[in-house]
Amino acid sequence: MPRKIRELIKDLEKAGFVNRSGKGSHRNYIHPQGIVITISGKTGSDVKHYQEKQVKRKIKEIQK
């Protein structure tokens, strides 16, 4: 079963990202280091492969 958008959001928040809101189904997250990511989709929607990769890449960026 594929992961859901809400699970990506939990991963981002656990890593220190903060929701700066967005328009419609888009959510803009920013980290205190200045790294920004936009997640689109309803919280119950399945995650697309590119979204999963993008979140992992951004979390790795803050760990450097």
Side-chain angles (χ1 to χ4, degrees):
M1 191 165 164
R3 294 182 67 190
K4 302 292 182 183
I5 297 289
R6 72 175 77 85
E7 295 172 17
L8 286 185
I9 292 171
K10 283 182 187 177
D11 291 345
L12 287 171
E13 289 174 346
K14 187 187 290 186
F17 285 83
V18 178
N19 187 357
R20 292 197 49 216
S21 76
K23 191 169 187 178
S25 64
H26 291 72
R27 290 164 206 83
N28 299 311
Y29 284 87
I30 187 165
H31 192 270
Q33 293 179 357
I35 298 170
V36 179
I37 185 171
T38 300
I39 301 293
S40 62
K42 296 180 181 179
T43 56
S45 298
D46 292 341
V47 171
K48 294 177 175 48
H49 293 287
Y50 74 89
Q51 291 173 316
E52 186 85 45
K53 288 180 183 179
Q54 191 178 35
V55 167
K56 286 181 182 179
R57 192 176 326 119
K58 295 291 181 176
I59 290 174
K60 279 186 182 180
E61 276 185 48
I62 64 168
Q63 294 173 348
K64 289 182 180 179

